[in-house]
Amino acid sequence: MTKEGSSQLNAMCVFCGSSLGTLPAYRQAAERLGRHLAEAGITLVFGGGHVGLMGFLPRLRSRREAGHRCDPEHLLKVESPFRDISELIVVDNMHTRKRRMFDLADAFCVLPGGLGTLDETFEILTWKQLHLHNKPVVLANVDGYWTPWMALIDAIIDKGFAQAGARRMFSMVDNVDDVLPCAFGEIGATWAGDSKLF
């Protein structure tokens, strides 16, 4: 793991739910982001199969369009793998999966999701807080989904358990159409963070 980020956006890792959620807007956002990535020629890195929002991300891509799906062996036993993608990477466990997805990606997008999505998001932000990388992290606040999460971040800062600079470790956009412009604007930028980590 290196602190330096890429100066180009060639691949984006997307974290999102293995469920569809209650609103059609979530599925539509996943489809739309997948289309934007394909049109821009950006490699999709994701960890899902045919289920939930993860299943909608690659559906508008063809086999000719690059995409990497990372999955631990135990999930392949319960999930049907998405075959219409250029590479299926099988790893031994969830920890290796997150590290492999990190290595493949130049930036991250977070769509609505559940506990697994929160786990992935907090880990990638923790690595950034520890100055292990400065890759863009963009949350797509579809229909206000991440607004309560932002309130939690503010509370953590207000109660003294994180520095104010934690708010600068990620960006939040209300429209999925703004994810790529936001990431392109941040790619290669240096996040200095706070000199005091704790």
Side-chain angles (χ1 to χ4, degrees), residues 157-194:
I157 294 170
D158 292 344
K159 300 300 182 182
F161 288 99
Q163 301 295 317
R167 294 187 182 96
R168 301 194 303 273
M169 293 192 301
F170 60 90
S171 298
M172 186 176 291
V173 298
D174 292 327
N175 192 317
V176 75
D177 295 344
D178 296 325
V179 168
L180 284 183
C182 182
F184 273 117
E186 296 180 13
I187 198 76
T190 299
W191 180 78
D194 294 292

Side-chain angles (χ1 to χ4, degrees), residues 12 14 29-37 57 109 111 176 179:
M12 174 171 276
V14 180
E31 286 182 319
R32 196 168 183 85
L33 179 61
R35 181 166 64 250
H36 288 327
L37 292 173
L57 276 169
C109 174
L111 293 175
V176 75
V179 168

Side-chain angles (χ1 to χ4, degrees), residues 28-54:
Q28 293 163 3
E31 286 182 319
R32 196 168 183 85
L33 179 61
R35 181 166 64 250
H36 288 327
L37 292 173
E39 291 173 348
I42 296 173
T43 298
L44 166 67
V45 179
F46 77 123
H50 284 282
V51 295
L53 298 186
M54 288 186 283

Side-chain angles (χ1 to χ4, degrees), residues 57-171:
L57 276 169
R59 289 189 179 184
L60 299 180
R61 307 173 76 93
S62 71
R63 279 186 179 272
R64 298 187 305 274
E65 295 167 325
H68 303 291
R69 178 193 175 196
C70 299
D71 239 340
E73 291 177 302
H74 72 274
L75 280 186
L76 289 179
K77 298 175 182 177
V78 296
E79 286 184 2
S80 173
F82 202 105
R83 298 297 183 186
D84 293 328
I85 200 158
S86 56
E87 185 178 14
L88 171 62
I89 302 170
V90 180
V91 296
D92 55 353
N93 58 57
M94 296 291 283
H95 299 290
T96 305
R97 175 202 208 186
K98 286 186 284 188
R99 175 58 194 268
R100 185 67 176 131
M101 288 163 60
F102 170 85
D103 289 338
L104 289 168
D106 301 310
F108 302 86
C109 174
V110 187
L111 293 175
L115 298 180
T117 302
L118 287 171
D119 168 59
E120 293 165 329
T121 304
F122 274 119
E123 182 150 8
I124 211 69
L125 290 176
T126 300
W127 291 352
K128 194 167 187 176
Q129 177 179 259
L130 295 173
H131 308 292
L132 298 176
H133 76 92
N134 57 20
K135 299 178 181 183
V137 180
V138 183
L139 281 82
N141 193 26
V142 181
D143 204 54
Y145 184 82
W146 292 115
T147 300
W149 183 85
M150 189 66 222
L152 173 62
I153 298 297
D154 287 339
I156 291 170
I157 294 170
D158 292 344
K159 300 300 182 182
F161 288 99
Q163 301 295 317
R167 294 187 182 96
R168 301 194 303 273
M169 293 192 301
F170 60 90
S171 298

